[in-house]
Amino acid sequence: MPEFDAAITENIATSLKEIPHPSLPKGTSIYGGTKIFPDYKAEEGESYFTLVHGIAHESSVSFVAVLQATRALRKGFESAIYFYGPGAINCLATRGFPTTGDSGFPGEQNINESLEAFISEGGTVFCCRFGLGLHGGREEDLIEGVIPAHPLDVQDALIHYARKGAIINSTYMV
């Protein structure tokens, strides 16, 4: 620890003693576990459609949307995700640092890995070509299995899934 004068050193010691640490041992429950709603499963022919307009790692909403779509898929829903606008960046296999696929910080590849798992489990991922172009992404940079889509498809995909009676989760980052 750096050298401080006596008053600061005394204040540091007092501050450290004010609240005992750890206040709760690791593993202590601090939240209840009661689930309010039933664990619904898909009924025959039900769909779950997610729209994502959020930038990878600038918006936790993008990652949470992928997790929700994956959960719906595992509950038996036909599940699809449509990335548009800045959300298109989430679909790039070329993200990473210092090389593609590397994590410059823990969790940098969470979205990539989650999308790969979603696709491998039968989920459908669309990515707007215009969103890619706006942010310098190329179709050949997409994660394998991501379907490039025309900009006008965003609205028509929404209409398609709405007419199917899909549950629609629209996420947006300002």
Side-chain angles (χ1 to χ4, degrees), residues 32-61:
T34 303
K35 188 172 178 325
I36 306 299
F37 296 95
D39 187 15
Y40 292 106
K41 304 292 183 208
E43 294 178 7
E44 184 67 32
E46 285 190 311
S47 299
Y48 187 93
F49 184 58
T50 302
L51 290 161
V52 180
H53 190 279
I55 300 171
H57 305 298
E58 298 291 325
S59 157
S60 63
V61 72

Short mmCIF file of all heavy atoms in Angstrom, two decimals, residues 32-61:
data_model
loop_
_atom_site.label_atom_id
_atom_site.label_comp_id
_atom_site.label_asym_id
_atom_site.label_seq_id
_atom_site.Cartn_x
_atom_site.Cartn_y
_atom_site.Cartn_z
N GLY A 32 -34.92 -15.12 -2.85
CA GLY A 32 -35.80 -16.28 -2.81
C GLY A 32 -35.79 -17.01 -4.13
O GLY A 32 -35.32 -16.50 -5.15
N GLY A 33 -36.33 -18.20 -4.15
CA GLY A 33 -36.30 -19.02 -5.35
C GLY A 33 -37.68 -19.38 -5.88
O GLY A 33 -37.80 -20.22 -6.77
N THR A 34 -38.72 -18.75 -5.36
CA THR A 34 -40.07 -19.10 -5.80
C THR A 34 -40.33 -18.60 -7.20
O THR A 34 -40.23 -17.40 -7.47
CB THR A 34 -41.12 -18.49 -4.84
OG1 THR A 34 -40.86 -18.97 -3.52
CG2 THR A 34 -42.53 -18.87 -5.26
N LYS A 35 -40.68 -19.51 -8.10
CA LYS A 35 -41.05 -19.16 -9.47
C LYS A 35 -42.55 -18.92 -9.46
O LYS A 35 -43.31 -19.75 -9.00
CB LYS A 35 -40.67 -20.29 -10.42
CG LYS A 35 -40.84 -19.95 -11.87
CD LYS A 35 -40.26 -21.04 -12.76
CE LYS A 35 -40.45 -20.78 -14.22
NZ LYS A 35 -41.64 -20.11 -14.64
N ILE A 36 -42.98 -17.78 -9.95
CA ILE A 36 -44.38 -17.37 -9.90
C ILE A 36 -45.22 -18.07 -10.97
O ILE A 36 -46.31 -18.56 -10.69
CB ILE A 36 -44.51 -15.83 -10.05
CG1 ILE A 36 -43.64 -15.09 -9.02
CG2 ILE A 36 -45.96 -15.40 -9.99
CD1 ILE A 36 -43.98 -15.35 -7.59
N PHE A 37 -44.75 -18.09 -12.19
CA PHE A 37 -45.52 -18.62 -13.30
C PHE A 37 -45.12 -20.06 -13.60
O PHE A 37 -43.99 -20.45 -13.35
CB PHE A 37 -45.32 -17.76 -14.56
CG PHE A 37 -45.84 -16.36 -14.39
CD1 PHE A 37 -44.99 -15.33 -14.01
CD2 PHE A 37 -47.18 -16.07 -14.57
CE1 PHE A 37 -45.45 -14.04 -13.83
CE2 PHE A 37 -47.66 -14.78 -14.39
CZ PHE A 37 -46.80 -13.76 -14.02
N PRO A 38 -46.05 -20.83 -14.19
CA PRO A 38 -45.69 -22.20 -14.57
C PRO A 38 -44.57 -22.20 -15.60
O PRO A 38 -44.37 -21.22 -16.30
CB PRO A 38 -46.99 -22.74 -15.21
CG PRO A 38 -48.07 -21.82 -14.81
CD PRO A 38 -47.43 -20.48 -14.53
N ASP A 39 -43.86 -23.31 -15.70
CA ASP A 39 -42.80 -23.46 -16.69
C ASP A 39 -43.47 -23.90 -18.00
O ASP A 39 -43.55 -25.07 -18.31
CB ASP A 39 -41.78 -24.49 -16.22
CG ASP A 39 -40.57 -24.57 -17.13
OD1 ASP A 39 -40.36 -23.65 -17.95
OD2 ASP A 39 -39.83 -25.56 -17.03
N TYR A 40 -43.97 -22.92 -18.76
CA TYR A 40 -44.70 -23.21 -19.98
C TYR A 40 -43.82 -23.88 -21.02
O TYR A 40 -42.65 -23.57 -21.15
CB TYR A 40 -45.27 -21.92 -20.59
CG TYR A 40 -46.35 -21.28 -19.77
CD1 TYR A 40 -46.11 -20.12 -19.04
CD2 TYR A 40 -47.63 -21.84 -19.72
CE1 TYR A 40 -47.11 -19.53 -18.29
CE2 TYR A 40 -48.64 -21.25 -18.97
CZ TYR A 40 -48.37 -20.09 -18.26
OH TYR A 40 -49.35 -19.51 -17.51
N LYS A 41 -44.41 -24.80 -21.75
CA LYS A 41 -43.77 -25.44 -22.90
C LYS A 41 -44.59 -25.06 -24.13
O LYS A 41 -45.77 -24.72 -24.02
CB LYS A 41 -43.75 -26.96 -22.74
CG LYS A 41 -43.08 -27.45 -21.47
CD LYS A 41 -41.61 -27.19 -21.46
CE LYS A 41 -40.99 -27.78 -20.19
NZ LYS A 41 -39.82 -27.10 -19.75
N ALA A 42 -43.97 -25.16 -25.29
CA ALA A 42 -44.68 -24.82 -26.53
C ALA A 42 -45.79 -25.81 -26.78
O ALA A 42 -45.66 -27.01 -26.52
CB ALA A 42 -43.70 -24.83 -27.70
N GLU A 43 -46.88 -25.29 -27.29
CA GLU A 43 -47.94 -26.14 -27.79
C GLU A 43 -47.71 -26.32 -29.28
O GLU A 43 -46.95 -25.57 -29.89
CB GLU A 43 -49.30 -25.50 -27.49
CG GLU A 43 -49.57 -25.43 -25.99
CD GLU A 43 -50.89 -24.75 -25.63
OE1 GLU A 43 -51.69 -24.44 -26.54
OE2 GLU A 43 -51.11 -24.54 -24.43
N GLU A 44 -48.35 -27.30 -29.85
CA GLU A 44 -48.16 -27.63 -31.26
C GLU A 44 -48.19 -26.39 -32.15
O GLU A 44 -49.14 -25.62 -32.12
CB GLU A 44 -49.25 -28.61 -31.72
CG GLU A 44 -49.08 -29.10 -33.14
CD GLU A 44 -47.85 -29.98 -33.35
OE1 GLU A 44 -47.47 -30.70 -32.41
OE2 GLU A 44 -47.27 -29.91 -34.43
N GLY A 45 -47.10 -26.19 -32.92
CA GLY A 45 -47.05 -25.13 -33.92
C GLY A 45 -46.74 -23.73 -33.39
O GLY A 45 -46.74 -22.78 -34.17
N GLU A 46 -46.44 -23.58 -32.11
CA GLU A 46 -46.17 -22.24 -31.58
C GLU A 46 -44.77 -21.76 -31.95
O GLU A 46 -43.84 -22.54 -32.04
CB GLU A 46 -46.34 -22.21 -30.05
CG GLU A 46 -47.78 -22.23 -29.62
CD GLU A 46 -47.94 -21.97 -28.13
OE1 GLU A 46 -47.22 -22.62 -27.33
OE2 GLU A 46 -48.77 -21.13 -27.77
N SER A 47 -44.67 -20.44 -32.14
CA SER A 47 -43.40 -19.82 -32.53
C SER A 47 -43.04 -18.72 -31.55
O SER A 47 -43.89 -18.13 -30.89
CB SER A 47 -43.52 -19.20 -33.93
OG SER A 47 -43.83 -20.16 -34.88
N TYR A 48 -41.74 -18.44 -31.52
CA TYR A 48 -41.19 -17.37 -30.69
C TYR A 48 -40.23 -16.61 -31.60
O TYR A 48 -39.31 -17.20 -32.16
CB TYR A 48 -40.44 -17.98 -29.50
CG TYR A 48 -39.95 -17.00 -28.47
CD1 TYR A 48 -40.72 -16.69 -27.36
CD2 TYR A 48 -38.71 -16.39 -28.59
CE1 TYR A 48 -40.27 -15.81 -26.39
CE2 TYR A 48 -38.25 -15.50 -27.64
CZ TYR A 48 -39.03 -15.22 -26.53
OH TYR A 48 -38.57 -14.34 -25.58
N PHE A 49 -40.47 -15.31 -31.76
CA PHE A 49 -39.68 -14.50 -32.69
C PHE A 49 -39.05 -13.34 -31.93
O PHE A 49 -39.74 -12.62 -31.20
CB PHE A 49 -40.59 -13.97 -33.81
CG PHE A 49 -39.87 -13.21 -34.88
CD1 PHE A 49 -38.84 -13.79 -35.61
CD2 PHE A 49 -40.23 -11.91 -35.18
CE1 PHE A 49 -38.18 -13.08 -36.61
CE2 PHE A 49 -39.58 -11.19 -36.18
CZ PHE A 49 -38.56 -11.78 -36.89
N THR A 50 -37.76 -13.18 -32.09
CA THR A 50 -37.02 -12.13 -31.39
C THR A 50 -36.40 -11.17 -32.40
O THR A 50 -35.74 -11.60 -33.35
CB THR A 50 -35.89 -12.73 -30.53
OG1 THR A 50 -36.47 -13.65 -29.60
CG2 THR A 50 -35.13 -11.67 -29.79
N LEU A 51 -36.60 -9.87 -32.18
CA LEU A 51 -35.94 -8.83 -32.95
C LEU A 51 -34.86 -8.22 -32.08
O LEU A 51 -35.12 -7.92 -30.90
CB LEU A 51 -36.94 -7.74 -33.35
CG LEU A 51 -37.98 -8.14 -34.39
CD1 LEU A 51 -39.15 -7.16 -34.34
CD2 LEU A 51 -37.36 -8.15 -35.76
N VAL A 52 -33.66 -8.04 -32.61
CA VAL A 52 -32.57 -7.45 -31.82
C VAL A 52 -31.99 -6.25 -32.57
O VAL A 52 -31.53 -6.38 -33.70
CB VAL A 52 -31.44 -8.48 -31.54
CG1 VAL A 52 -30.33 -7.84 -30.74
CG2 VAL A 52 -31.99 -9.69 -30.81
N HIS A 53 -32.03 -5.11 -31.90
CA HIS A 53 -31.48 -3.86 -32.44
C HIS A 53 -30.53 -3.30 -31.38
O HIS A 53 -30.72 -2.21 -30.87
CB HIS A 53 -32.61 -2.88 -32.74
CG HIS A 53 -32.21 -1.66 -33.50
ND1 HIS A 53 -31.63 -0.58 -32.90
CD2 HIS A 53 -32.31 -1.37 -34.81
CE1 HIS A 53 -31.40 0.35 -33.82
NE2 HIS A 53 -31.81 -0.11 -34.99
N GLY A 54 -29.54 -4.09 -31.00
CA GLY A 54 -28.59 -3.68 -29.96
C GLY A 54 -27.20 -4.16 -30.28
O GLY A 54 -27.02 -5.23 -30.86
N ILE A 55 -26.23 -3.38 -29.92
CA ILE A 55 -24.83 -3.65 -30.26
C ILE A 55 -24.22 -4.63 -29.25
O ILE A 55 -24.42 -4.50 -28.04
CB ILE A 55 -24.02 -2.34 -30.26
CG1 ILE A 55 -24.60 -1.37 -31.29
CG2 ILE A 55 -22.55 -2.61 -30.55
CD1 ILE A 55 -24.01 0.02 -31.21
N ALA A 56 -23.47 -5.58 -29.79
CA ALA A 56 -22.76 -6.53 -28.94
C ALA A 56 -21.90 -5.80 -27.91
O ALA A 56 -21.16 -4.89 -28.26
CB ALA A 56 -21.88 -7.43 -29.80
N HIS A 57 -22.05 -6.15 -26.67
CA HIS A 57 -21.27 -5.65 -25.54
C HIS A 57 -21.50 -4.18 -25.22
O HIS A 57 -20.92 -3.67 -24.28
CB HIS A 57 -19.78 -5.94 -25.70
CG HIS A 57 -19.55 -7.39 -25.92
ND1 HIS A 57 -19.89 -8.34 -25.00
CD2 HIS A 57 -19.09 -8.06 -27.00
CE1 HIS A 57 -19.63 -9.54 -25.48
NE2 HIS A 57 -19.15 -9.39 -26.69
N GLU A 58 -22.34 -3.50 -25.97
CA GLU A 58 -22.74 -2.15 -25.60
C GLU A 58 -24.13 -2.23 -24.98
O GLU A 58 -24.62 -1.29 -24.40
CB GLU A 58 -22.79 -1.23 -26.84
CG GLU A 58 -21.47 -1.07 -27.54
CD GLU A 58 -20.48 -0.26 -26.70
OE1 GLU A 58 -20.90 0.65 -25.99
OE2 GLU A 58 -19.28 -0.57 -26.77
N SER A 59 -24.75 -3.38 -25.12
CA SER A 59 -26.13 -3.56 -24.72
C SER A 59 -26.31 -4.99 -24.24
O SER A 59 -26.25 -5.91 -25.03
CB SER A 59 -27.03 -3.28 -25.93
OG SER A 59 -28.26 -3.89 -25.80
N SER A 60 -26.56 -5.16 -22.96
CA SER A 60 -26.80 -6.52 -22.47
C SER A 60 -28.08 -7.09 -23.05
O SER A 60 -28.28 -8.30 -23.07
CB SER A 60 -26.85 -6.53 -20.94
OG SER A 60 -27.95 -5.76 -20.47
N VAL A 61 -28.96 -6.22 -23.57
CA VAL A 61 -30.22 -6.68 -24.13
C VAL A 61 -29.99 -7.65 -25.29
O VAL A 61 -30.76 -8.59 -25.48
CB VAL A 61 -31.12 -5.49 -24.54
CG1 VAL A 61 -30.61 -4.79 -25.78
CG2 VAL A 61 -32.56 -5.92 -24.73
#
